[in-house]
Amino acid sequence: MLNILENINDVLWGTPSLVLLVGTGLFLTFILKGLQFKKLPYAFKLAFSKDKEDDGTEGDVSNFKALMTSLAGMVGNGNIAGVATAVTLGGPGAIFWMWIVGLVGMATKYAEALLAMKYRVKNANGEYSSGPMYYIERGIGKKWKPLAIAFAFFGAFAALGIGNSVQSNTIADVMQNSFSVSGLTTGIILVVLTSLIIFGGLQRISSVAGVFVPVMAVFYITAALIILGLNYDKIIPAFNLIFTYAFQPISAVGGFSGIIISEAIRNGVSKGIFSNEAGLGTVALIAGNARTSHPVKQALVAMTGTFIVTIIVCTMTGLVLLVTGFWDSTGGLLSGVTHDASLDAGALTSAAFGSSLGDIGEYMVSISVVFFGFSTILGWYVYGSKCFEYLFGLNYMGIYRIIYVGATFIGTIAKLTTVWAFADMANALMMIPNLIGILLLYKVVANETKSYFGRFYMDTETKKVG
């Protein structure tokens, strides 16, 4: 099964898909005139400050809570194990390609959130539902509904794997290895906590995420910054490694004889998508619930999530692996410190932190893995439930909740050797219909953006000056 999945992924993540993914981001960057760079400060301002114009507008949660719920799904073990996997398989150059995916992906994420707001619908419970399936069907036309159904199907299914059992499996391993807690005990605890939160609906999930995500992100980044401070003399050389091996094969000195540029690109792109989800359409599944006076405002807020995850969190992980020498079996080109080549990706990151901070460092990563994984379980429930709702309606949501909680428990006690490979496949199968939808609706994105910055934005700035 693993070999079959790997062969499928070689096709799905081959040149055509990479061109579609990066090409869409570049195309939108051009159409939007580099909006993700020029408007980034304004986007952060919208994300982390209250805008009185949004008071009284329709929606279920604030811009901030929508962003935190989205980050709950993004800031997960992909930022720990995913980055380590990308670097060990693709070399330091993979980090560069993660940056590229993140930067151009900000434009893609912007478009996804804007279209989500534009084509959202109100369900029978009075809450908004949004996502690629809605902007494909309502924006392009009903003849494209099979594409919308395909996205919803793979989204609902992927949530059980990539967003749930993969995370609970990683949490169980960490709890066993670091704290001697059995998988069965971890499973029971996760089932109880997950049930208490997801059965409370979107409001409870977003409230938990609003507190949970900022705290755990600051906790992890602080630990990474301490390590970088202790190894400050190796930071510039680490960046040199990243840029050097992004464009040329890595030498055998680092134990990667035969690695070629395509491996750096493939691993950087696929793991970059796994960590920031730009192009998957997941942000569109929560963005439509935001209370905001214009679709562009929530779109700007949503794109900051990609910046936070890729440019900040993933970079921190990558740099720690490089400056400590924990990126290949001989200790890399910087430290010369050897380590156990059999360590898996998550353990590798933990060992890297421990090499500078001792047992405390390893425990900090272990705790981060647990909290990152749990937040991802909550965030991906929102994604999966929205897809399931589109396919089967609200009447059967109880069934999906039970299945979701069951997948959480199974992940803690089962050996999921093929799940990571399945995660890559599911990501691609979500990505393709979503990107097709965005490309066919690019004029809507461009027109809404022009409308806001040509009129609404200027009106707001005029009021402030007055």
Side-chain angles (χ1 to χ4, degrees):
M1 177 62 72
L2 182 59
N3 288 335
I4 293 173
L5 288 173
E6 288 177 345
N7 289 333
I8 293 174
N9 285 332
D10 285 340
V11 175
L12 290 176
W13 286 106
T15 301
S17 292
L18 297 183
V19 169
L20 176 63
L21 176 67
V22 180
T24 299
L26 289 172
F27 174 71
L28 290 169
T29 298
F30 175 76
I31 292 297
L32 298 171
K33 301 177 182 178
L35 173 140
Q36 71 263 45
F37 309 114
K38 295 188 293 185
K39 301 299 182 183
L40 186 60
Y42 177 59
F44 272 105
K45 179 182 178 182
L46 289 173
F48 295 100
S49 63
K50 184 175 175 58
D51 191 336
K52 292 182 179 179
E53 288 194 349
D54 295 335
D55 292 341
T57 56
E58 291 192 351
D60 305 308
V61 296
S62 66
N63 278 331
F64 175 76
K65 285 186 176 181
L67 174 63
M68 290 302 106
T69 305
S70 176
L71 281 174
M74 286 189 287
V75 182
N77 291 321
N79 309 116
I80 297 177
V83 176
T85 301
V87 174
T88 53
L89 294 180
I95 298 173
F96 174 83
W97 296 107
M98 291 182 77
W99 291 340
I100 295 300
V101 169
L103 292 173
V104 301
M106 288 171 67
T108 308
K109 190 71 71 83
Y110 171 89
E112 291 171 344
L114 189 155
L115 292 171
M117 290 293 298
K118 177 75 175 178
Y119 295 106
R120 65 182 182 174
V121 299
K122 189 171 285 189
N123 64 27
N125 288 343
E127 292 183 341
Y128 280 100
S129 297
S130 63
M133 51 279 195
Y134 292 101
Y135 55 71
I136 289 172
E137 180 182 351
R138 301 182 71 224
I140 307 173
K142 289 192 177 295
K143 66 180 181 180
W144 291 86
K145 189 167 183 176
L147 199 66
I149 292 173
F151 175 89
F153 174 79
F154 290 119
F157 199 61
L160 300 174
I162 181 177
N164 190 344
S165 56
V166 165
Q167 307 299 326
S168 62
N169 183 262
T170 304
I171 291 171
D173 286 344
V174 167
M175 293 298 291
Q176 176 68 55
N177 296 330
S178 298
F179 307 105
S180 299
V181 177
S182 70
L184 179 62
T185 302
T186 299
I188 294 171
I189 294 172
L190 282 178
V191 164
V192 172
L193 292 176
T194 301
S195 299
L196 286 173
I197 296 172
I198 69 172
F199 277 84
L202 179 62
Q203 291 292 342
R204 185 176 298 174
I205 295 171
S206 63
S207 294
V208 171
V211 175
F212 206 69
V213 173
V215 171
M216 71 179 188
V218 170
F219 178 79
Y220 183 75
I221 292 171
T222 299
L225 287 174
I226 292 172
I227 293 174
L228 294 178
L230 294 173
N231 296 275
Y232 68 91
D233 57 321
K234 297 172 185 173
I235 294 177
I236 301 248
F239 277 104
N240 287 337
L241 284 179
I242 293 170
F243 288 109
T244 298
Y245 295 125
F247 299 101
Q248 70 181 45
I250 195 164
S251 72
V253 174
F256 284 87
S257 179
I259 291 290
I260 57 176
I261 300 174
S262 62
E263 282 301 301
I265 296 174
R266 181 184 181 280
N267 282 284
V269 170
S270 65
K271 296 304 180 290
I273 290 302
F274 183 77
S275 64
N276 65 46
E277 300 173 12
L280 296 189
T282 51
V283 73
L285 295 165
I286 181 62
N289 293 95
R291 289 190 299 269
T292 188
S293 57
H294 196 280
V296 165
K297 293 174 71 175
Q298 174 54 25
L300 289 167
V301 170
M303 80 178 191
T304 64
T306 300
F307 185 89
I308 292 170
V309 168
T310 305
I311 308 303
I312 298 178
V313 180
C314 286
T315 299
M316 293 291 103
T317 303
L319 288 176
V320 167
L321 289 168
L322 294 181
V323 301
T324 58
F326 279 78
W327 61 279
D328 76 306
S329 61
T330 65
L333 303 179
L334 296 181
S335 70
V337 178
T338 60
H339 65 75
D340 184 357
S342 67
L343 291 174
D344 63 28
L348 195 66
T349 305
S350 180
F353 275 72
S355 68
S356 290
L357 301 178
D359 291 341
I360 293 176
E362 293 196 29
Y363 283 127
M364 291 181 79
V365 173
S366 297
I367 292 170
S368 295
V369 167
V370 171
F371 282 95
F372 280 16
F374 184 62
S375 74
T376 301
I377 290 172
L378 299 181
W380 269 86
Y381 167 74
V382 176
Y383 302 158
S385 64
K386 297 282 187 180
C387 292
F388 189 87
E389 176 190 330
Y390 178 82
L391 293 171
F392 302 106
L394 290 171
N395 292 335
Y396 299 97
M397 284 306 302
I399 295 175
Y400 189 74
R401 290 193 186 101
I402 293 171
I403 293 173
Y404 197 83
V405 171
T408 304
F409 182 77
I410 291 171
T412 62
I413 59 174
K415 296 296 182 183
L416 303 179
T417 54
T418 62
V419 173
W420 282 97
F422 173 79
D424 272 352
M425 182 185 73
N427 280 356
L429 294 173
M430 291 172 66
M431 175 189 72
I432 293 170
N434 177 54
L435 292 180
I436 292 173
I438 291 173
L439 288 172
L440 292 175
L441 292 169
Y442 82 91
K443 288 184 179 179
V444 175
V445 176
N447 290 336
E448 288 289 334
T449 303
K450 183 177 180 180
S451 168
Y452 178 76
F453 286 106
R455 184 158 51 92
F456 288 90
Y457 180 71
M458 292 303 296
D459 288 347
T460 302
E461 292 303 304
T462 300
K463 289 177 184 178
K464 290 179 180 178
V465 172

